[in-house]
């Protein structure tokens, strides 16, 4: 049943080509009939259509040949000279094959009344201009259809990217107002208030408001400079540093070129949150989160590592919701030109490495 369903579009294509051949045969016969009304020989419709049909039917049969060449050698590809040469040869081959096929049909129909060479040369000289025009029209239509399909695909991808950005913003907001995170943050604020450290209280509240504002900022696009994303991440980590008192140390090491590079908006946030939740919160010992970013061979490499128990202690082993959403978003933006890998960190714990194409605003 599946094979039959897959074959339907191809069957409809061939039926459409045959219908077009019949229609053109009727048009040609109608022209001959009109000429007969002004002094030409009389025309009998059925034999006249039978004479015209092989010509147009063979053009229909050769159409896939021209379509395949148009797809194999696009005029807007990286080798325009070779594409033009290929289509010049393709047009010549198209005309020759058409003339040969019509000649064979006529030789069978008329029992060799005319020599094959004479029939072939007559048909070739008569139809070569039409064949070249038809070939050019097929190539142009194939390119136009491809442009249309690519435009639709770009629109679909843009819609998917807009949806993923909204999801990332909402996920970032949900993470910040998560009851545990919010409770611990407010608890830290209350402890600081009881100590009379008003400056620290103002700092924590200000950081939390900045994070919430960034998550809801509708002016941010799909990508932002790494420097801006690191600022947001450092604000989040600053709150966590207050939460864990002296148990958390933070290290950020990014090249100047890396800071200018574009990275998907809010893509680092869930990675850093995982490092805090699974690496620092579950280990009573002092912990460290390090973020490194470097430009290597036209790509941006960003690594987030923690000193916690590592992926072996997590039931998800690097396949949880946070990293899965990161992988899906990067795949939508960059296709095969990106990578997300997980493994042990240099100093133990867990590490997540993100690789994306290096681009500046």
């Amino acid at each position: 049943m599946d094979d039959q369903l897959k074959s339907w579009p191809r069957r409809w294509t061939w039926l459409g080509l045959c219908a077009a051949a019949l229609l053109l045969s009727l048009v040609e016969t109608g022209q001959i009939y009109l000429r007969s009304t002004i002094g030409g020989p009389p025309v009998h419709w059925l034999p006249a259509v039978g004479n015209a049909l092989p010509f147009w039917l063979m053009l229909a049969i050769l159409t896939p040949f021209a379509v395949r060449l148009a797809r194999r050698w696009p005029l807007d590809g990286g080798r325009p000279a070779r594409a033009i040469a290929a289509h010049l040869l393709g047009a010549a081959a198209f005309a020759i094959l058409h003339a040969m096929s019509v000649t064979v049909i006529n030789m069978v129909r008329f029992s060799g009344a005319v020599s094959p060479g004479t029939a072939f040369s007559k048909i070739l000289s008569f139809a070569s201009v039409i064949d070249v025009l038809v070939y050019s029209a097929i190539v142009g239509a194939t390119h136009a259809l491809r442009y249309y399909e690519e435009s639709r695909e770009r629109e679909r991808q843009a819609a998917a990217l807009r949806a993923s950005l909204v999801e990332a913003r909402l996920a970032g907001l949900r993470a910040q107002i998560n009851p545990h995170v919010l409770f611990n943050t407010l608890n830290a604020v209350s402890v600081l208030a009881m100590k009379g450290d008003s400056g620290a209280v103002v700092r924590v509240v200000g950081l939390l408001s900045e994070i919430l504002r960034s998550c809801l900022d509708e002016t941010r696009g799909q990508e932002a400079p790494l420097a801006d994303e690191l600022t947001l991440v450092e604000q989040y980590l600053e709150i966590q540093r207050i939460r864990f008192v002296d148990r958390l140390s933070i290290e950020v090491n990014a090249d100047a070129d890396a800071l200018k590079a574009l990275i998907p908006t809010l893509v680092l946030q869930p990675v850093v949150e995982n490092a805090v939740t699974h690496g620092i919160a579950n280990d009573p010992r002092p912990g460290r989160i390090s973020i490194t970013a470097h430009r290597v061979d036209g790509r941006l490499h960003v690594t987030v590592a923690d000193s916690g128990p590592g992926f072996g202690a997590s039931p998800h082993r690097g396949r949880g919701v946070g990293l899965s959403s990161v992988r899906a978003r990067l795949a939508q933006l960059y296709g095969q030109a990106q990578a997300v890998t997980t493994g042990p960190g240099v100093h133990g714990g867990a590490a997540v490495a993100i690789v994306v194409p290096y681009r500046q605003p």
Side-chain angles (χ1 to χ4, degrees), residues 32-54:
I32 297 174
Y33 175 78
L34 290 176
R35 284 200 299 268
S36 70
T37 60
I38 56 175
V43 174
H44 301 285
W45 277 88
L46 190 59
V49 171
N51 289 332
L53 186 59

Side-chain angles (χ1 to χ4, degrees), residues 47 50-51 54 102-114:
N51 289 332
V102 175
T103 300
V104 171
I105 293 175
N106 288 340
M107 295 300 296
V108 173
R109 290 177 60 203
F110 301 116
S111 302
V114 183

Side-chain angles (χ1 to χ4, degrees), residues 124 175 286 335 340:
L124 183 63
V340 179

Side-chain angles (χ1 to χ4, degrees), residues 246-332:
D246 297 327
R247 267 204 315 121
L248 175 60
S249 60
I250 303 164
E251 179 183 355
V252 178
N253 181 16
D255 297 341
D257 284 346
L259 291 174
K260 301 175 184 177
L262 290 175
I263 195 169
T265 310
L266 300 175
V267 79
L268 290 181
Q269 190 74 8
V271 180
V272 174
E273 289 168 3
N274 279 350
V276 172
T277 302
H278 303 293
I280 305 301
N282 294 333
D283 192 344
R285 299 171 300 175
R288 179 178 63 182
I289 292 178
S290 62
I291 303 173
T292 61
H294 306 286
R295 177 184 181 182
V296 180
D297 296 332
R299 291 188 173 189
L300 175 66
H301 293 246
V302 182
T303 303
V304 178
D306 63 72
S307 59
F311 286 109
S314 171
H316 302 294
R317 298 182 182 273
R319 295 290 175 180
V321 175
L323 286 180
S324 296
S325 65
V326 169
R327 287 188 174 94
R329 186 140 176 256
L330 291 179
Q332 288 178 349

